[in-house]
Amino acid sequence: MIVIKTAAEIELMKEACRISAGALKAGGEAVVPGATTEDVDAAVRDYIRSEGAKATFLGYGGFPKSACVSVNEEVIHGIPSRKRRLKEGDIVSIDVGAFKNGFTGDNAATYAVGQIDGRAQKLLDVTREALRLGIAAAKPGNRVGDIGHAVQAYAEENGCSVVRDFVGHGVGRELHEEPEVPNYGRAGHGARLVPGMTIAIEPMLCLGGYEVEVLDNDWTVVTRDGSLSAHFEHSVLITKDGPLVLTVI
């Protein structure tokens, strides 16, 4: 069932989303050559605690850390570690949620570690723009398929593939709510978008094929061909006037 939020609920959710965005920014600032993925997680964790919130991902389904920190060919759900040290030229995807006042925010971004090569930079640029186009398609009266179509069309026009096995989703009192929001699909199909819906739009694009697999830790998703992957995400409110990004600071 798709949950339509009231005006009062939206105000509560905005606070959780603001904290989520601040935590993502803090994590991104920790992405420097020589840092560990544990350092990134600590920055996220400390920011969320400083705002009197809880890290949504910590303990979710047994996930052991406050943020997902995924490097290079890791698509999502990378587990932060003191042993994983970032080096110049890496790209790092950080996925963060904060829970407060009964609601959660959810957002992600991919960061460059120092200087990266042109293909990696193009992947980041295309994925970021695909998110913008997906959000632009999230208008009342449109359908979920319009979002996925906008993301997929732009990604494939620019030589990137779209991960199929993991998708966006509704977000609110729960991290994952209805509807699913794929990053691919046919325009005019799927659930209709109406004011009061809150969804997480999150393109996951790859330089190679879109096939992925899960590592033996049962969490980390990697590209099957070892190609680079990037991930950008915002929590978005559907309003009568169009989409409103909630995960901003």
Side-chain angles (χ1 to χ4, degrees):
M1 182 181 69
I2 297 173
V3 179
I4 305 301
K5 278 70 174 182
T6 66
E9 289 174 328
I10 289 166
E11 289 306 308
L12 292 174
M13 187 170 171
K14 283 181 178 179
E15 176 67 358
C17 286
R18 180 191 66 79
I19 297 169
S20 297
L24 180 61
K25 182 175 184 289
E29 290 171 350
V31 172
V32 295
T36 67
T37 53
E38 176 69 26
D39 294 332
V40 176
D41 184 74
V44 168
R45 180 192 65 226
D46 292 348
Y47 181 89
I48 292 173
R49 286 179 178 173
S50 75
E51 292 283 347
K54 295 181 179 179
T56 307
F57 297 174
L58 183 61
Y60 186 86
F63 191 76
K65 297 291 183 175
S66 297
C68 299
V69 185
S70 308
V71 183
N72 294 334
E73 77 283 359
E74 296 173 352
V75 182
I76 50 173
H77 304 164
I79 300 174
S81 169
R82 292 187 180 89
K83 297 179 180 179
R84 186 66 184 269
R85 196 168 295 279
L86 304 177
K87 64 182 186 300
E88 186 94 8
D90 286 341
I91 60 172
V92 183
S93 298
I94 306 173
D95 194 355
V96 174
F99 183 83
K100 190 171 185 180
N101 298 326
F103 287 87
T104 191
D106 189 12
N107 58 176
T110 303
Y111 298 88
V113 183
Q115 296 284 25
I116 59 175
D117 68 29
R119 294 186 74 237
Q121 187 61 57
K122 180 181 178 182
L123 174 65
L124 267 61
D125 293 342
V126 171
T127 310
R128 188 185 295 107
E129 177 65 6
L131 172 59
R132 189 191 70 80
L133 294 170
I135 292 170
K139 301 174 182 177
N142 277 4
R143 293 183 179 272
V144 165
D146 294 306
I147 298 172
H149 176 75
V151 170
Q152 182 181 13
Y154 183 78
E156 293 178 351
E157 286 169 5
N158 286 275
C160 296
S161 65
V162 178
V163 170
R164 305 293 204 275
D165 292 2
F166 297 88
V167 298
H169 50 88
V171 63
R173 289 192 180 275
E174 303 293 335
L175 176 59
H176 294 106
E177 298 182 349
E178 294 295 328
E180 289 192 342
V181 184
N183 297 300
Y184 58 91
R186 296 170 60 192
H189 288 70
R192 190 172 296 280
L193 303 173
V194 299
M197 287 176 65
T198 49
I199 57 177
I201 302 174
E202 50 177 322
M204 291 161 265
L205 306 188
C206 310
L207 282 180
Y210 61 74
E211 298 86 357
V212 299
E213 57 190 24
V214 181
L215 297 183
D216 290 343
N217 64 21
D218 293 328
W219 278 106
T220 307
V221 178
V222 300
T223 56
R224 188 170 295 169
D225 60 10
S227 63
L228 294 178
S229 182
H231 179 204
F232 285 84
E233 175 184 23
H234 274 307
S235 294
V236 178
L237 168 68
I238 311 303
T239 80
K240 64 180 179 60
D241 299 317
L244 176 66
V245 176
L246 300 179
T247 40
V248 293
I249 52 175

